[in-house]
Amino acid sequence: MKLLTKLTLFITLSKLAIVVLFVFLLPNLIERIASRYTDDYLREQKKKVMNIISKNGIDYYLQGEESMGSYTMLKEEYISLSPSDTGISADTIETSRRIVEGDTLNYRLLTHNFLSEKKPYLLEIGKTTATISQYNRPLQKIASWVLVALILFTLVADLIYTRFLLAPLGKIIKSKLLNRRFPFNDDPHPVRTSTSDFQYLDSSLMTLMNQIHEAFEKEREFTANASHELMTPISILQNKIENLLGETEVSDLVQSKLIEMHRTLNRLKKIVNSLLLISRIDNKQFARSEVVSLKGLLEDVMDDIGHRLEEKDIRFRVSLKNDISLKNCNRDLLYQLFYNLINNAIKYNKPQGEIIIQDSYHSGSFYQIFIEDTGIGIPAEDIPTIFNRFKKSNLAEAGGFGLGLSIVKSIASYHKINVDVSSIVMKGTTFTLVFPKEIIY
């Protein structure tokens, strides 16, 4: 999962968790707020009453009566003033029941004891709990909508900022990793970013790629030079051995030894030629300007190699449903690619085995060719390294030199063809060639 996807998922889930938690706690919060607001309201009402009594006296309310009581039309609020026999005590606010004109109602009640004209009085100011809670549901709805709007706004803002913040990382991955093909011949430019971590990552990748490119160039130059220089002494030795073989004075024993030496030199010459070929491919010394018909190419390969099928009694079947041609290619190199793969399929096949070549075309996307055999197969642990030069495997042990598949890989990479391998030991191997749409004619 991409980093941006993980951050987006985390931000979304965290916002959702906040919404769920807020909705769960909202009724209790609203109730507490309403209760606290009511308590403050009752205290303000008490202050107003006490200010009037301090200015106008207690008779302003009692008007000659021993006590007084008053309430609104709907009995939502009431005030009571009466003599007290409990003395002065701290104010209390609690929910209590009161009977008003025969109705029993629950009130949020403030009780205040005070002295007026040296007599103790009890002041009660109340508000019905139904009145307090009647605004809870509307307040909850308003708070919920406000919360949802804020969450959506912050979510969008977070996602936009996250994308903006991670944009340089995406550019680094795209320019330094996804769109880079080895060897790194182009000169990438640093990604512009103000984030020091991304700057360090970008510069480190550029430094690492430059080091890899330099090491590859040195290896390629060494391979080319060494292979070229080896050809001269090999040719001299080969000529001298051939001359000795023509001498009549050479004994049979010496002649057999010379024949073995000549055979060894031939093997060495093939290896050097293969290394030179790989070096020339890596150095892009082959032109890619031809249009190649794959069916015609495979027919030419089979004309040259078909006689080997009879030696091991191998059945061969080509089933190409699509007449595909490739552009911007080198026919000789593609010929070498298919020749090596089919030659291996014959060499490492079982007697009376089978080789099948099939294809599939994903229009507008890519084209595939499958080369299947019923041979000895390749161990799973060898598959990741079969394209490495001189890698010892069951193929090399059976007589290969470890360079045939390296040549295949070099030619495929040169034409931007992907090579995939699947194999089961003693059941067979399938090489899959994936041709990109850019070279499909």
Side-chain angles (χ1 to χ4, degrees):
M1 188 181 293
K2 292 184 178 180
L3 177 60
L4 180 59
T5 305
K6 287 185 177 182
L7 287 176
T8 301
L9 187 62
F10 171 75
I11 292 171
T12 304
L13 291 179
S14 62
K15 301 294 183 185
L16 182 61
I18 292 174
V19 171
V20 172
L21 181 63
F22 186 82
V23 170
F24 179 75
L25 297 176
L26 186 59
N28 187 44
L29 291 174
I30 293 294
E31 185 176 348
R32 285 175 177 244
I33 292 171
S35 178
R36 180 164 295 182
Y37 172 78
T38 301
D39 293 348
D40 292 339
Y41 172 78
L42 295 177
R43 292 188 183 98
E44 288 297 322
Q45 293 298 96
K46 182 203 77 171
K47 287 182 181 180
K48 290 180 181 180
V49 171
M50 295 308 299
N51 286 335
I52 292 174
I53 290 174
S54 63
K55 290 180 180 179
N56 303 323
I58 192 72
D59 286 335
Y60 180 84
Y61 284 103
L62 296 179
Q63 295 182 357
E65 300 290 335
E66 184 178 352
S67 62
M68 65 82 63
S70 176
Y71 51 87
T72 59
M73 184 179 294
L74 298 178
K75 306 173 187 177
E76 293 175 347
E77 298 181 15
Y78 96 98
I79 180 172
S80 171
L81 187 60
S82 61
S84 173
D85 55 0
T86 59
I88 304 300
S89 61
D91 293 353
T92 60
I93 299 178
E94 60 183 0
T95 301
S96 181
R97 291 183 178 181
R98 291 291 184 271
I99 299 175
V100 180
E101 292 185 349
D103 294 331
T104 302
L105 302 173
N106 289 324
Y107 283 93
R108 186 69 178 170
L109 199 64
L110 180 147
T111 303
H112 175 63
N113 292 280
F114 67 96
L115 292 174
S116 179
E117 298 176 357
K118 299 182 179 181
K119 293 181 180 181
Y121 287 91
L122 174 65
L123 173 66
E124 290 184 344
I125 301 175
K127 189 172 184 178
T128 58
T129 55
T131 304
I132 297 172
S133 61
Q134 68 179 340
Y135 298 109
N136 286 8
R137 188 172 295 275
L139 285 174
Q140 290 179 22
K141 288 183 178 179
I142 293 172
S144 298
W145 283 112
V146 170
L147 175 67
V148 170
L150 289 174
I151 289 294
L152 290 176
F153 174 77
T154 55
L155 178 62
V156 172
D158 288 347
L159 292 179
I160 292 175
Y161 180 71
T162 301
R163 286 183 175 275
F164 171 76
L165 186 64
L166 295 180
L169 179 60
K171 291 180 180 178
I172 292 172
I173 294 174
K174 186 176 180 181
S175 62
K176 304 299 187 302
L177 300 176
L178 294 181
N179 293 335
R180 302 299 301 278
R181 294 186 65 89
F182 188 81
F184 311 119
N185 294 320
D186 55 334
D187 186 17
H189 299 287
V191 173
R192 296 182 61 183
T193 175
S194 59
T195 306
S196 58
D197 294 335
F198 292 160
Q199 291 175 350
Y200 179 74
L201 175 63
D202 188 39
S203 62
S204 298
L205 284 174
M206 291 178 64
T207 302
L208 179 62
M209 289 178 177
N210 288 334
Q211 291 174 350
I212 293 173
H213 181 68
E214 290 175 3
F216 175 75
E217 288 295 332
K218 289 179 181 178
E219 178 192 353
R220 187 164 62 179
E221 183 179 356
F222 172 78
T223 302
N225 294 337
S227 301
H228 185 269
E229 294 298 326
L230 281 172
M231 288 303 295
T232 301
I234 289 174
S235 298
I236 294 172
L237 285 173
Q238 196 171 29
N239 290 332
K240 287 184 176 182
I241 291 174
E242 290 174 355
N243 292 333
L244 287 173
L245 286 172
E247 296 290 337
T248 56
E249 294 83 2
V250 177
S251 64
D252 293 340
L253 178 61
V254 174
Q255 193 171 31
S256 64
K257 296 296 182 181
L258 289 173
I259 291 173
E260 290 180 7
M261 291 173 62
H262 192 270
R263 189 181 300 114
T264 302
L265 281 175
N266 281 334
R267 290 184 59 192
L268 182 58
K269 192 172 183 179
K270 289 181 180 179
I271 293 173
V272 173
N273 283 329
S274 296
L275 288 173
L276 280 172
L277 177 61
I278 293 173
S279 177
R280 290 183 62 197
I281 295 170
D282 291 341
N283 283 297
K284 296 181 170 52
Q285 294 180 8
F286 290 91
R288 289 186 304 178
S289 58
E290 298 174 278
V291 175
V292 181
S293 170
L294 288 177
K295 281 187 176 181
L297 184 67
L298 286 172
E299 289 175 359
D300 291 344
V301 172
M302 292 314 303
D303 287 341
D304 291 341
I305 205 173
H307 64 280
R308 298 198 54 210
L309 297 170
E310 300 177 1
E311 297 174 3
K312 299 183 70 172
D313 193 17
I314 295 174
R315 297 184 302 276
F316 183 83
R317 179 162 58 93
V318 178
S319 179
L320 298 184
K321 300 176 182 178
N322 305 278
D323 189 7
I324 298 295
S325 295
L326 305 178
K327 61 183 178 180
N328 299 326
C329 295
N330 185 287
R331 192 181 191 283
D332 292 336
L333 291 180
L334 290 179
Y335 176 91
Q336 187 71 37
L337 182 148
F338 281 102
Y339 184 94
N340 284 355
L341 290 177
I342 297 174
N343 185 53
N344 281 345
I346 297 173
K347 182 187 298 184
Y348 306 113
N349 215 321
K350 301 173 184 176
Q352 298 180 346
E354 187 176 18
I355 298 173
I356 302 173
I357 299 179
Q358 306 178 80
D359 70 341
S360 67
Y361 184 36
H362 301 265
S363 181
S365 182
F366 58 88
Y367 174 69
Q368 291 177 301
I369 286 185
F370 309 93
I371 302 176
E372 307 174 34
D373 65 59
T374 56
I376 60 177
I378 305 171
E381 62 271 15
D382 284 344
I383 289 179
T385 57
I386 60 172
F387 296 109
N388 293 358
R389 301 172 192 177
F390 302 110
K391 171 64 180 179
K392 290 295 183 182
S393 65
N394 63 336
L395 297 181
E397 292 167 3
F401 304 117
L403 285 175
L405 291 180
S406 296
I407 293 173
V408 168
K409 185 65 175 179
S410 295
I411 295 173
S413 299
Y414 188 52
H415 290 85
K416 300 181 180 180
I417 301 169
N418 185 54
V419 184
D420 190 24
V421 186
S422 60
S423 183
I424 301 176
V425 175
M426 302 311 297
K427 287 190 176 181
T429 302
T430 300
F431 282 86
T432 303
L433 303 175
V434 183
F435 299 86
K437 63 180 181 179
E438 290 80 9
I439 65 173
I440 297 174
Y441 185 67

